[in-house]
Amino acid sequence: MNRLIFAFFLLAASLAVAQENLRPSLETTYNAWRESMIRHDAALWQRVTAEHRKMEIKNRIISEKQPFPATVFNLPAAPPALQGLKFLEAKQNGATAKVSYYGKVNFGVAEPSDNLLVLSFIKGSGGWLYDRADFVNLVGLPEVKKELAAGDIKYLKETPEAQPSGQVPPTPLAAHPAKYVAKVYVFGPGREVKVQINKISQHRFVNMKDAEVVIGGALDGPNEIQYSIKKLEGGTGKEALTIRVYLRAEAAGVEPLKVYQYQVAEGETPKPFGTETFNVDAATVAKITGH
């Protein structure tokens, strides 16, 4: 029994040391990434950002016909500093890691209140690379707020999104700059709807109404759209459903043009999957350009 207790304390001590060793590396990377965003330093941003995230951001920007990398730095608010925040946990799982903080997360746009900030990282050949930040507003979670303020990290341990997954996301294929900016719109309450356009632009909508930019935009001629529809637990499978693709207008005063629609009325059952096409021809281009 004494040996088991001793082994337990050794394990706990080694985990604490590992966490303390991990934290400075992650914070150094985040601070460098934050500095790159504030200074609009594209070279530094390239060095400290995870590969899959860089490609994902670049694909989205050029799919909206925006300049890259200049548009990277067009954020609605500055990345928050870590100074003054209460450190909660730093954890590694394989080539992924997360570090969490509690306190007045300040984006510089409003008076900050006490909330949760979780930063994610990917291990590269030269060290840790910044992936993303998740801000959790605790206004509706008063008990969690109280726990975190006291240093109790039960909420983090019980929340999968707050723990490193151990799986490095694949780097997306590089998209060509869009010729026609397009968006896919889905209204799918009670369902998971996956959409893929031209085999490069992948989208997932879960019990929501939302629109996302089509990576690579729409192409001249036929464009392929594939979709799959799955009922979620608690859904009836009879809710109304809409999948649409719009082209952005390229002239003032011209409305976005709907070029594809799959719609199911309430009470009807949608197809579980499908592959169809929509066409961008000369007449379509004339409508979005206004001539």
Side-chain angles (χ1 to χ4, degrees), residues 111-130:
E111 186 66 27
S113 58
D114 291 329
N115 288 298
L116 174 64
L117 180 68
V118 181
L119 307 177
S120 300
F121 301 83
I122 301 295
K123 190 72 174 287
S125 57
W128 289 104
L129 300 170
Y130 175 77

Side-chain angles (χ1 to χ4, degrees), residues 136-291:
V136 182
N137 191 327
L138 299 175
V139 69
L141 299 168
E143 290 303 314
V144 173
K145 197 169 189 175
K146 191 181 301 182
E147 290 171 0
L148 294 177
D152 182 349
I153 59 173
K154 181 178 70 171
Y155 175 77
L156 297 179
K157 295 185 179 303
E158 294 176 349
T159 305
E161 293 81 5
Q163 299 295 313
S165 68
Q167 298 181 339
V168 177
T171 301
L173 295 172
H176 294 292
K179 186 171 184 180
Y180 309 109
V181 177
K183 281 194 170 185
V184 55
Y185 163 89
V186 167
F187 175 72
R191 297 188 178 91
E192 176 191 67
V193 180
K194 293 182 179 180
V195 180
Q196 179 176 271
I197 298 176
N198 292 329
K199 292 185 168 61
I200 188 172
S201 191
Q202 298 182 355
H203 310 267
R204 179 173 177 260
F205 304 89
V206 180
N207 192 32
M208 66 170 67
K209 176 177 73 172
D210 203 0
E212 294 181 353
V213 173
V214 174
I215 300 303
L219 309 175
D220 283 313
N223 292 257
E224 181 186 78
I225 178 167
Q226 297 174 297
Y227 59 82
S228 65
I229 301 164
K230 183 174 72 174
K231 183 179 79 68
L232 296 174
E233 185 177 349
T236 66
K238 298 291 185 178
E239 297 91 345
L241 170 78
T242 301
I243 302 172
R244 292 176 183 152
V245 177
Y246 290 91
L247 299 188
R248 189 181 74 184
E250 298 187 0
V254 178
E255 294 292 320
L257 180 65
K258 181 174 66 180
V259 291
Y260 172 82
Q261 175 172 282
Y262 173 62
Q263 195 161 33
V264 177
E266 187 170 355
E268 297 179 358
T269 302
K271 296 183 290 185
F273 52 84
T275 300
E276 301 179 36
T277 60
F278 60 91
N279 198 46
V280 178
D281 54 18
T284 302
V285 174
K287 290 176 182 176
I288 62 173
T289 57
H291 53 69

Side-chain angles (χ1 to χ4, degrees), residues 95-110:
T96 67
K98 288 182 186 282
V99 59
S100 304
Y101 304 87
Y102 171 80
K104 299 188 186 305
V105 183
N106 191 355
F107 293 96
V109 294

